[in-house]
Amino acid sequence: MTIRISTLGFPRIGPRRELKAALEKYWSGRIGLPKLQEQAEGLRTATWVRQHSLGVAHIPSNDFSFYDHVLDTTAMVGAVPAVYGWTGGAVPLDTYFAMARGTQSSGGASSLPALEMTKWFDTNYHYMVPELHSGQRFTLASTKPLDEFLEAKSLGFHTRPVLVGPVTWLLLGKVTESGFDPLSLMQRLLPVYAEMLNRLSAAGADWVQMDEPCLALDMTDRAREVMTAAYKALAVAAPDVKLLVASYFGGLGGNLETALALPAAGLHIDLVRAPGQLDAVMARAPSDLVLSLGVIDGRNIWRADLRAVLDRLEPAVERLGAERVILAPSCSLLHVPIDLELESGLDDELKRWLAFAVQKIGELDTLGRALADGRSAVQAALDDSAAAAEARRRSPRIHDAAVQARLAAVTPAMAKRGSPFPARRQSQRTQRPLPAFPTTTIGSFPQTETVRKARAAHKKGAMDDAAYDGFLKQETAAAVRWQEEIGIDVLVHGEFERNDMVQYFGEQLAGYAFTTHGWVQSYGSRCVRPPVIYGDVSRPHPMTVYWSRYAQSLTERPVKGMLTGPVTMLQWSFVRDDLPRSAVCRQIALAIRDEVADLEKAGIGIVQIDEPAFREGLPLRRSEWQEYLDWAVECFRLASSGVADTTQIHTHMCYSEFNDIIDSIGALDADVISIETARSKMELLDAFIGYRYPNEIGPGVYDIHAPRRPDVDEMAALLRKAKERLAPDQIWVNPDCGLKTRRWDEVRPALANMVQAAKALRGESSR
Ligand code: GLN
Ligand code: ZN
């Protein structure tokens, strides 16, 4: 007997980010389309060859993408918004890239915006949001799934094409007409899917994977009905393919009956996030349904304890029969780096605990053999896995008794400021009188070419510590001077010394490691290397005091300390899987708490703790929200509450969809919160009004996402709108977000205008 293994999808960027390089060359005109296609083909071939040689039976195709698989689907069904000027036929690659990235105007040709981009479920991968309207028609406008199936076939690989399923694709769409239900487009959409399935089948495909991660969400009854009807219709219209419906990122929950009743030949379930669902699924699955068991974590980089996995799998295979089982990662391997072998930034002990995509396939292969031929057939691999798991469990590097003792000693009082907000506000105003509508910025100033070059030179050793320090001091001093000149009230040091808001802190914390090749795709050609939290987190030494103190020494005005909050530190990392996330977050919170205390001691009276990822941490299921919000709020408060009443805590979030979590935002009890509101023209402030938010707020008046710089009147008008919604003495004046991606020639006039706008408001009302 054999057990089939599959991957659901493999990372597409290439082991050395070859796709990024090729795309960027193509976009800048350094290579043409044929060269780009050739390089993409090379990557796909290598990926198929590799998976084949690693023993994958169901090798995916169409998991490759030039930018994003949701955008590929949008192209496949011909849902190109009118502005891109597509007139039918196959969607050209440049139209596809225009949707992905927008176009720059050249020679008078008007520039086009990109489609909106947002996070794919609860991952840090971003997809391009389809735009849907009631008049939408669909047509097969890209044969990419077929082309790639045939390409693999010609190389001798029989693949399982992957499509984003029609329900998920529609549910991910953005609808502008109010009251319009995107699912009402299903009838029109299905013929395109059916046509693709039939063409795949005619070309020789037997299995086709339909990704429906919406099954891990709270689906409405209507969505479930539409899903049932859609798959029934597909089974009739494309009877020859075997559909494997893939759910992932969580359990089926209330969608279990729906998923099991679909007329599909197979169902993939995530048994890493939701191990408990196996029994229910087995008990209720039709007797001929193939189950793809997602037992290896596709979202994290830890090596599995294969014996423990086998303990659960053996009875399942016994019950189902080998022919009804496929072994798989919990989700596509898209979300993990490719190959641990390439890694040189981690020491051997740490590497032994990890598995990237290639190693995860090896784990699946071992599991498959153990199930087929008995554990003894893979004794050595199982022993090694067990030894690695044991070594990790026992390693002194992950256990820090001091951190654990501190965590155990946390009291509720530590997560509470000394006095309630009204009293703190009084103390703060006495200590640091500020004008009405005080002005500030979110932290970073432009990371110019010069700044990045100096950092790179310092990293390479071409610039010594002293020279780099001098350079950073010069930049910081210039920023401080300039902020004073234009009249900003609460200054920042500019963050010139920081590479990234998480990495900068992670590099200075114990328990964090950084990779050299741990790249994962964030969006398009952009890849990130998330830090790895492998052990108990602590702060061996102050992290930001040096620069904050230096900046403060240059001015009489207050300089705001600038930290990244515990939830964001957690959210943007690969997190250890041997502790609950909440516990890891508390450890980080205590480390940040120490930093806040040190800043206060160094004379910094205002400290901002950024939490841009606070909302992203929300679980996919509503029923799990409150638990998350409770510990996330507690962690922020733990980080921020160890200070005197006079010390003012700010927080910043780069968005303002707060309606459904406003209680928790209030519960953070930050003295000041800055949020993004410029683009929505202050409408997004409404959550705060309904809630009667008691603390102070800086609703962004300058949209930093675009190069344009708003004038005084525009920002003053926004402030007047804010004033209609909030008490005037609640309002701070600041941009939407940090300015690191902008240029000085944009930032200077915009901020000077912002100060003038605040002054105009001061003239209109008294505090
Ligand atoms: N302080 C950070 C900055 O200004 C905040 C970044 C963010 O919100 N993403 O760059
Ligand atoms: Zn921001």
Side-chain angles (χ1 to χ4, degrees):
M1 103 176 166
T2 57
I3 303 264
R4 289 165 291 184
I5 70 171
S6 82
T7 56
L8 302 193
F10 196 83
R12 52 184 74 126
I13 54 177
R16 299 185 184 278
R17 288 183 298 156
E18 291 86 344
L19 182 60
K20 175 190 177 69
L23 283 170
E24 287 171 4
K25 278 188 198 146
Y26 176 72
W27 292 334
S28 66
R30 280 175 291 155
I31 60 172
L33 189 55
K35 187 81 190 158
L36 176 66
Q37 296 284 16
E38 182 193 312
Q39 302 209 344
E41 209 179 305
L43 280 170
R44 288 191 293 264
T45 304
T47 301
W48 289 321
V49 168
R50 168 110 85 165
Q51 290 177 87
H52 177 75
S53 71
L54 290 168
V56 178
H58 280 198
I59 298 175
S61 59
N62 198 42
D63 54 338
F64 174 83
S65 177
F66 273 125
Y67 207 91
D68 161 42
H69 50 274
V70 177
L71 185 61
D72 293 342
T73 312
T74 302
M76 179 183 89
V77 302
V80 181
V83 290
Y84 300 101
W86 174 67
T87 52
V91 174
L93 194 58
D94 286 336
T95 305
Y96 174 90
F97 284 139
M99 288 193 280
R101 315 172 58 230
T103 57
Q104 317 306 316
S105 51
S106 65
S110 68
S111 61
L112 297 171
L115 290 181
E116 232 173 71
M117 172 168 88
T118 194
K119 296 214 173 198
W120 172 243
F121 295 83
D122 58 353
T123 72
N124 285 326
Y125 173 87
H126 301 72
Y127 73 91
M128 306 307 300
V129 182
E131 286 178 12
L132 301 171
H133 59 93
S134 54
Q136 184 69 54
R137 303 282 156 190
F138 301 102
T139 169
L140 188 63
S142 155
T143 53
K144 178 177 176 294
L146 178 67
D147 302 341
E148 290 181 15
F149 176 79
L150 290 171
E151 184 182 313
K153 191 177 172 189
S154 74
L155 295 164
F157 300 111
H158 180 78
T159 57
R160 181 173 91 190
V162 185
L163 302 178
V164 175
V167 185
T168 295
W169 184 78
L170 285 175
L171 289 176
L172 292 181
K174 175 182 125 177
V175 169
T176 42
E177 294 150 85
S178 77
F180 172 65
D181 175 8
L183 290 172
S184 66
L185 295 171
M186 187 60 90
Q187 287 300 330
R188 287 186 218 154
L189 179 62
L190 282 176
V192 180
Y193 271 84
E195 185 179 352
M196 179 46 69
L197 293 176
N198 283 322
R199 290 178 71 169
L200 284 168
S201 151
D206 50 359
W207 284 97
V208 175
Q209 175 181 325
M210 287 285 217
D211 281 356
E212 294 284 14
C214 67
L215 284 165
L217 303 176
D218 296 317
M219 289 171 76
T220 60
D221 288 343
R222 157 126 172 107
R224 285 194 279 253
E225 280 158 25
V226 169
M227 181 169 225
T228 305
Y231 279 84
K232 277 197 180 137
L234 283 179
V236 173
D240 300 328
V241 286
K242 292 193 270 190
L243 293 185
L244 182 123
V245 174
S247 69
Y248 44 80
F249 301 150
L252 292 164
N255 306 322
L256 185 125
E257 298 295 342
T258 306
L260 287 173
L262 296 176
L267 176 69
H268 172 84
I269 53 175
D270 182 339
L271 295 175
V272 173
R273 284 272 178 96
Q277 65 178 337
L278 179 58
D279 287 335
V281 169
M282 284 196 299
R284 299 191 212 178
S287 62
D288 56 350
L289 186 70
V290 169
L291 291 179
S292 165
L293 306 178
V295 288
I296 293 294
D297 197 347
R299 289 285 298 275
N300 214 331
I301 53 174
W302 304 101
R303 201 170 159 180
D305 184 349
L306 295 179
R307 285 222 172 94
V309 180
L310 278 175
D311 288 344
R312 292 193 290 126
L313 274 177
E314 280 162 351
V317 173
E318 177 89 4
R319 179 163 167 187
L320 295 165
E323 65 294 336
R324 275 184 68 198
V325 172
I326 300 176
L327 294 185
S330 57
C331 61
S332 162
L333 294 170
L334 177 66
H335 309 289
V336 291
I338 295 184
D339 189 2
L340 189 61
E341 288 296 313
L342 295 176
E343 186 52 46
S344 56
L346 305 173
D347 58 75
D348 289 344
E349 185 184 12
L350 220 70
K351 275 174 86 170
R352 185 140 192 252
W353 304 344
L354 302 180
F356 291 179
V358 167
Q359 288 70 35
K360 284 173 187 287
I361 299 177
E363 294 186 315
L364 289 167
D365 182 56
T366 302
L367 291 172
R369 285 174 204 260
L371 290 166
D373 308 325
R375 293 192 186 196
S376 56
V378 283
Q379 196 62 48
L382 292 181
D383 287 348
D384 192 49
S385 160
E390 185 59 16
R392 181 175 161 212
R393 260 193 298 274
R394 288 172 181 274
S395 170
R397 285 175 71 187
I398 69 172
H399 304 292
D400 182 335
V403 172
Q404 285 157 20
R406 227 183 136 195
L407 215 62
V410 167
T411 60
M414 285 169 70
K416 249 184 110 187
R417 296 288 298 268
S419 307
F421 176 71
R424 298 197 310 263
R425 170 190 246 191
Q426 216 39 63
S427 318
Q428 288 163 20
R429 289 189 172 175
T430 313
Q431 172 93 5
R432 248 181 334 271
L434 289 169
F437 301 101
T439 53
T440 190
T441 61
I442 305 304
S444 58
F445 278 129
Q447 288 264 336
T448 55
E449 187 70 20
T450 334
V451 173
R452 275 176 291 155
K453 276 199 177 134
R455 183 179 310 127
H458 178 242
K459 203 173 160 205
K460 266 193 292 179
M463 187 185 235
D464 66 19
D465 290 352
Y468 185 52
D469 184 76
F471 167 79
L472 291 174
K473 281 193 170 140
Q474 200 181 298
E475 293 291 313
T476 307
V480 168
R481 217 176 311 120
W482 174 77
Q483 290 172 85
E484 280 190 319
E485 264 163 38
I486 66 164
I488 302 252
D489 302 302
V490 171
L491 313 193
V492 295
H493 75 282
E495 302 182 24
F496 301 106
E497 77 287 6
R498 301 189 186 176
N499 37 15
D500 168 271
M501 65 183 292
V502 169
Q503 190 178 351
Y504 183 75
F505 290 92
E507 281 174 346
Q508 303 187 70
L509 290 168
Y512 264 87
F514 289 81
T515 65
T516 51
H517 286 79
W519 295 104
V520 291
Q521 188 179 17
S522 171
Y523 61 89
S525 66
R526 189 174 154 76
C527 303
V528 293
R529 271 178 306 178
V532 178
I533 306 178
Y534 66 87
D536 288 341
V537 175
S538 62
R539 187 200 67 141
H541 49 75
M543 303 182 284
T544 64
V545 173
Y546 181 82
W547 288 109
S548 288
R549 181 189 275 139
Y550 173 70
Q552 186 64 80
S553 75
L554 304 173
T555 175
E556 293 297 312
R557 297 188 181 218
V559 174
K560 185 162 63 165
M562 197 58 60
L563 305 174
T564 301
V567 180
T568 300
M569 291 295 295
L570 183 84
Q571 236 8 75
W572 292 350
S573 305
F574 283 122
V575 181
R576 61 193 290 191
D577 60 353
D578 56 344
L579 275 186
R581 288 170 76 80
S582 55
V584 179
C585 199
R586 273 190 200 99
Q587 295 183 355
I588 305 171
L590 289 176
I592 308 279
R593 181 183 176 94
D594 294 345
E595 186 70 14
V596 176
D598 279 341
L599 284 169
E600 185 183 55
K601 254 186 261 160
I604 303 298
I606 306 182
V607 179
Q608 178 173 312
I609 305 176
D610 292 324
E611 284 290 22
F614 189 84
R615 202 197 147 86
E616 278 169 41
L618 282 174
L620 296 175
R621 301 264 186 196
R622 272 275 179 164
S623 57
E624 294 162 19
W625 278 24
Q626 200 53 51
E627 191 205 339
Y628 162 75
L629 288 168
D630 288 347
W631 64 252
V633 168
E634 190 213 324
C635 286
F636 181 87
R637 294 179 57 135
L638 209 47
S640 59
S641 298
V643 288
D645 284 356
T646 45
T647 297
Q648 189 172 59
I649 298 290
H650 289 220
T651 188
H652 164 70
M653 300 185 183
C654 323
Y655 49 83
S656 36
E657 309 132 48
F658 291 122
N659 281 307
D660 44 9
I661 56 165
I662 190 72
D663 288 337
S664 302
I665 299 301
L668 296 175
D669 200 24
D671 298 306
V672 183
I673 182 172
S674 59
I675 58 173
E676 174 193 318
T677 41
R679 277 192 284 192
S680 74
K681 313 232 176 315
M682 298 288 149
E683 272 160 29
L684 289 171
L685 264 180
D686 289 350
F688 287 82
I689 299 116
Y691 174 74
R692 296 173 184 275
Y693 186 76
N695 302 12
E696 299 181 6
I697 312 183
V701 291
Y702 161 22
D703 171 13
I704 60 90
H705 304 89
R708 74 182 279 280
R709 57 180 135 96
D711 59 29
V712 181
D713 288 347
E714 182 179 336
M715 287 189 274
L718 286 177
L719 285 172
R720 280 182 210 111
K721 278 193 172 180
K723 218 176 84 181
E724 286 164 15
R725 295 166 150 90
L726 302 164
D729 68 352
Q730 255 185 313
I731 302 175
W732 283 67
V733 179
N734 48 259
D736 272 346
C737 193
L739 298 161
K740 60 173 168 266
T741 57
R742 297 262 62 92
R743 297 192 334 224
W744 275 114
D745 60 357
E746 298 155 0
V747 164
R748 278 205 187 94
L751 290 185
N753 288 349
M754 185 184 87
V755 171
Q756 294 315 312
K759 288 192 173 149
L761 267 280
R762 284 171 201 160
E764 294 165 19
S765 83
S766 58
R767 193 162 178 169

